[in-house]
Amino acid sequence: MKNRIFKIIAVLVFIVSVGCNATETKTEIIKIKHTKGDMTLVVRNAIENAKTKDIKLVFEKGNYFFKTDYAVGKYLYVTNHGNGFKKIIFNFEEFNSVEIEGNNSEFIFRGQTLPFVFDGLNKVDVKNVTIDWDIPFSFQGDVTATNKKEGWYELKPYTKGYSWKLKRGRIEFPGINHFNFSSLGSSLPHNKETKAVDYGAWDAGLKSNFVEKRPNGILRFYDKNLKRYPRVGSVLQSKGDKLNNRYAPAFLTRNSKNIEFNNVTIHHALGMGFLFERSEDIKILNSGIFIREGSDRVMSIVADATHFANCKGDILIEGCRLEGMYDDGTNVHGTYVEVNKVLDNKTIRIALKHDQQMGFEFAGVNDEVWFIKQPNPQRAEINTVTSVRVINDYFTDLTGQEDQNLKALTEEKIYPMDSQ
């Protein structure tokens, strides 16, 4: 009898042990060894050759350099940025979970790139990494003189670590991968010592009539339309024209959940820092967006530090340092769309109206939407989406679960709002 009991226990222990091992080996560990030179293809091959849907990339500590020559290229709709063809270094799609252990490494990028895309994941975990660009997508210089009567100001532009050239009386920057901004664009003077935006400064869209080369590395900018001149002694920083200066965020996470960024620092980005679309339960911990210590840059990233569009669940930002970005520290919002046409008692055609939301996925199946009937801003009828038909980046047809008298909506202006 004792032997029989021992055998049963032994079998149970063996089964439990096998189960534990299976769980522990579920995530595929992919080790990335530090190597000099462009690492884009190394990382791309590692991701594309993964054998499982649950992976963890572990980087040997070091400084990694990424160019766009061998990046993944695809057309993307990115909310609150410019839609278009994006070059992606870390492209995570069709995975269940992705973890990245940076071991306090630095990832340095060059050119127009969307470094990280996480799409459709049940878990995202990124930790212990700093990202930056070797050459920022900005132009800046010390203000040395102004002349309101003659309509000009003078700058001594920064050269080390920056990329620009004077061509036919115009400043072209950054000149990387055949891209230049069409003008200096959005520009702000900063205090040289504190790097804060100068007291009383106004954001100006600069389009100089002519730029003249002067002695001692000075450039004179003629601009008759300038209403407010930068203070002599300040640092004037330009981030380019609005049409092009929001290429992409550093981290784009969409249609995902159980997301955590821990000890992740962003010193520069070509748009926002952390952007989340239609994602759920998000933590950004002990992280930061700020100018690198010892750098002469006065801007960190081009737009919002953190941005959440149509997200749900819990959002936690804790122990983070957010400085030097050219827009909000955080922005959490839903989305309004216009009822363009009522097709039947269950189906409406909606239209995206904001120029930086074209192509945004407003609602999916099982999402709850409600109607806002002006001038009353309160929630009116509620319906659950049963099917979605995307017509193009502007129009989408939504069919609801409940049969409603939608024909009545044509009598007044109605705006449905995603409840997420």
Side-chain angles (χ1 to χ4, degrees):
M1 183 68 176
K2 288 183 179 180
N3 289 339
R4 184 183 176 191
I5 292 173
F6 176 78
K7 288 179 181 178
I8 293 173
I9 293 173
V11 170
L12 287 174
V13 170
F14 175 74
I15 292 172
V16 171
S17 177
V18 170
C20 290
N21 288 337
T23 302
E24 290 173 358
T25 59
K26 180 181 178 182
T27 299
E28 179 183 355
I29 308 298
I30 302 172
K31 295 183 178 181
I32 308 294
K33 184 175 177 60
H34 178 257
T35 307
K36 291 183 178 180
D38 182 14
M39 290 290 293
T40 298
L41 195 56
V42 174
V43 167
R44 178 174 180 172
N45 288 338
I47 295 170
E48 293 179 352
N49 293 326
K51 298 178 179 63
T52 70
K53 298 297 182 181
D54 299 273
I55 63 172
K56 180 176 182 178
L57 272 64
V58 179
F59 285 82
E60 180 184 4
K61 184 176 181 180
N63 292 344
Y64 295 82
F65 184 59
F66 299 93
K67 296 171 67 177
T68 61
D69 297 16
Y70 304 113
V72 175
K74 61 174 59 181
Y75 191 99
L76 285 182
Y77 300 117
V78 184
T79 189
N80 292 85
H81 289 73
N83 295 333
F85 194 77
K86 309 299 180 186
K87 295 291 189 73
I88 306 165
I89 308 298
F90 293 80
N91 185 46
F92 296 107
E93 296 178 302
E94 301 180 358
F95 285 95
N96 178 56
S97 68
V98 170
E99 298 176 63
I100 298 176
E101 171 56 72
N103 282 314
N104 296 315
S105 295
E106 291 197 1
F107 294 171
I108 308 299
F109 301 93
R110 174 175 292 176
Q112 285 182 306
T113 180
L114 197 176
F116 295 85
V117 173
F118 303 95
D119 196 347
L121 278 65
N122 288 316
K123 179 183 177 182
V124 176
D125 190 349
V126 181
K127 60 182 64 173
N128 305 320
V129 65
T130 294
I131 78 169
D132 201 352
W133 267 249
D134 62 338
I135 300 172
F137 273 49
S138 61
F139 173 86
Q140 67 181 58
D142 293 331
V143 182
T144 57
T146 63
N147 190 315
K148 297 180 182 179
K149 185 177 180 180
E150 296 181 9
W152 56 259
Y153 57 93
E154 290 184 344
L155 301 179
K156 186 165 187 178
Y158 292 30
T159 55
K160 187 178 180 180
Y162 293 83
S163 177
W164 59 270
K165 65 180 178 180
L166 178 61
K167 185 177 180 180
R168 297 175 184 174
R170 301 280 183 181
I171 290 293
E172 294 184 351
F173 75 101
I176 301 172
N177 298 134
H178 311 290
F179 171 77
N180 280 302
F181 287 110
S182 61
S183 66
L184 293 182
S186 179
S187 303
L188 274 170
H190 290 248
N191 183 293
K192 190 174 178 65
E193 285 70 40
T194 66
K195 298 189 177 181
V197 175
D198 218 22
Y199 178 76
W202 282 36
D203 186 5
L206 299 182
K207 295 181 180 180
S208 302
N209 305 103
F210 181 75
V211 182
E212 178 185 6
K213 191 174 182 180
R214 306 288 291 178
N216 301 317
I218 301 294
L219 296 178
R220 178 175 291 180
F221 294 76
Y222 292 89
D223 193 342
K224 296 179 180 179
N225 297 318
L226 191 60
K227 297 179 180 179
R228 188 180 290 254
Y229 285 77
R231 176 180 61 84
V232 173
S234 64
V235 181
L236 187 66
Q237 202 282 152
S238 301
K239 65 173 186 175
D241 61 282
K242 183 180 178 181
L243 183 64
N244 295 296
N245 66 18
R246 286 195 181 195
Y247 175 82
F251 293 92
L252 172 60
T253 307
R254 53 176 32 155
N255 300 310
S256 299
K257 59 185 178 181
N258 302 317
I259 302 153
E260 182 173 311
F261 292 89
N262 197 335
N263 191 30
V264 176
T265 299
I266 305 172
H267 289 310
H268 189 59
L270 310 187
M272 297 177 180
F274 300 96
L275 173 60
F276 303 89
E277 297 180 7
R278 296 178 53 77
S279 292
E280 180 178 356
D281 293 332
I282 304 161
K283 294 180 181 179
I284 305 176
L285 309 174
N286 311 307
S287 298
I289 292 173
F290 51 88
I291 300 164
R292 182 186 294 273
E293 189 71 29
S295 171
D296 59 9
R297 300 177 189 177
V298 294
M299 178 186 75
S300 57
I301 67 174
V302 170
D304 299 358
T306 65
H307 194 105
F308 307 83
N310 287 31
C311 293
K312 63 181 180 181
D314 294 326
I315 295 173
L316 175 64
I317 303 172
E318 185 174 72
C320 295
R321 173 185 173 189
L322 309 176
E323 296 175 355
M325 59 278 172
Y326 261 31
D327 214 327
D328 304 324
T330 191
N331 199 327
V332 184
H333 65 84
T335 305
Y336 289 88
V337 295
E338 181 183 79
V339 176
N340 177 263
K341 190 175 183 179
V342 176
L343 302 179
D344 57 46
N345 277 352
K346 287 188 177 182
T347 307
I348 57 174
R349 178 163 295 159
I350 62 169
L352 291 156
K353 304 298 290 185
H354 193 282
D355 61 351
Q356 286 188 332
Q357 287 185 333
M358 296 299 102
F360 179 68
E361 185 183 353
F362 167 71
V365 173
N366 295 324
D367 280 351
E368 195 177 78
V369 299
W370 67 81
F371 296 91
I372 305 297
K373 299 181 177 181
Q374 67 175 7
N376 186 356
Q378 299 302 313
R379 183 187 314 187
E381 289 86 355
I382 302 172
N383 212 329
T384 301
V385 177
T386 59
S387 70
V388 178
R389 177 175 176 249
V390 177
I391 297 175
N392 51 39
D393 59 345
Y394 190 73
F395 295 110
T396 297
D397 292 347
L398 298 180
T399 300
Q401 189 178 59
E402 302 297 327
D403 188 8
Q404 295 179 339
N405 183 22
L406 296 177
K407 295 293 183 183
L409 300 183
T410 59
E411 300 173 1
E412 52 188 323
K413 199 75 169 178
I414 309 298
Y415 298 87
M417 178 179 176
D418 194 341
S419 64
Q420 288 188 317

